[in-house]
Amino acid sequence: MNKREFLRSVFEKYALNKDEDVFALHGTAIITKTGIQKIASKEQLIYDFHTVVCQPDYCAIKCVVRDKDGKPLATSYGSAEKSNVKNAQKYYLEMAEKRAKARAVLIAIDAHGYLYSEDEADDFKRGNNG
């Protein structure tokens, strides 16, 4: 299955809407928070968050995603600090949690590498998509 077919199957399975849940940026498919929520809801995912680091200027969160029976499906991390948060308000903990969750959900459905969360979209704007 090629990338286009894979993305089409994800869009259909999770009823993703191209106007609300995804957008393209420099040829890369970016999924929004609502898209992540639709996937998580359909899969009945459960999250376990663990604070790795929480300081005034840097936070890192670990997210373990489990299926409805408690079986671990994926683990990922999210971090936030001055250089990767545009918001003037410094909600580093919340941003790190959101990033960890989005990445873990995409890994759980084997879509990481095909879809990227909107929190990672800034990397594509800067050309760091590797």
Side-chain angles (χ1 to χ4, degrees):
M1 177 181 308
N2 67 34
K3 183 176 183 177
R4 180 179 288 256
E5 292 168 336
F6 177 81
L7 289 173
R8 184 176 293 125
S9 71
V10 169
F11 282 43
E12 290 173 5
K13 180 175 183 178
Y14 300 107
L16 299 179
N17 180 307
K18 68 178 181 160
D19 296 323
E20 297 173 5
D21 304 319
V22 294
F23 61 94
L25 181 64
H26 303 299
T28 300
I30 307 295
I31 188 164
T32 65
K33 183 179 177 183
T34 60
I36 293 291
Q37 287 302 117
K38 285 180 179 181
I39 292 168
S41 179
K42 178 143 178 114
E43 294 291 337
Q44 299 178 24
L45 299 178
I46 301 165
Y47 313 101
D48 293 325
F49 293 102
H50 306 277
T51 303
V52 177
V53 176
C54 188
Q55 300 172 346
D57 293 327
Y58 176 79
C59 289
I61 300 290
K62 174 183 173 182
C63 179
V64 178
V65 172
R66 302 177 187 281
D67 68 13
K68 64 183 178 184
D69 298 319
K71 176 185 167 194
L73 299 175
T75 300
S76 191
Y77 294 84
S79 63
E81 47 112 4
K82 182 180 178 180
S83 72
N84 65 12
V85 174
K86 285 184 170 184
N87 191 336
Q89 307 280 334
K90 294 189 171 123
Y91 299 116
Y92 295 142
L93 182 64
E94 294 85 348
M95 184 59 74
E97 179 183 90
K98 181 180 169 189
R99 290 174 175 171
K101 176 183 175 182
R103 290 177 184 147
V105 167
L106 292 175
I107 292 168
I109 66 162
D110 293 324
H112 196 265
Y114 292 98
L115 280 168
Y116 293 88
S117 72
E118 63 185 320
D119 302 312
E120 295 173 302
D122 285 339
D123 289 340
F124 291 94
K125 289 176 187 170
R126 289 190 296 264
N128 300 330
N129 58 353

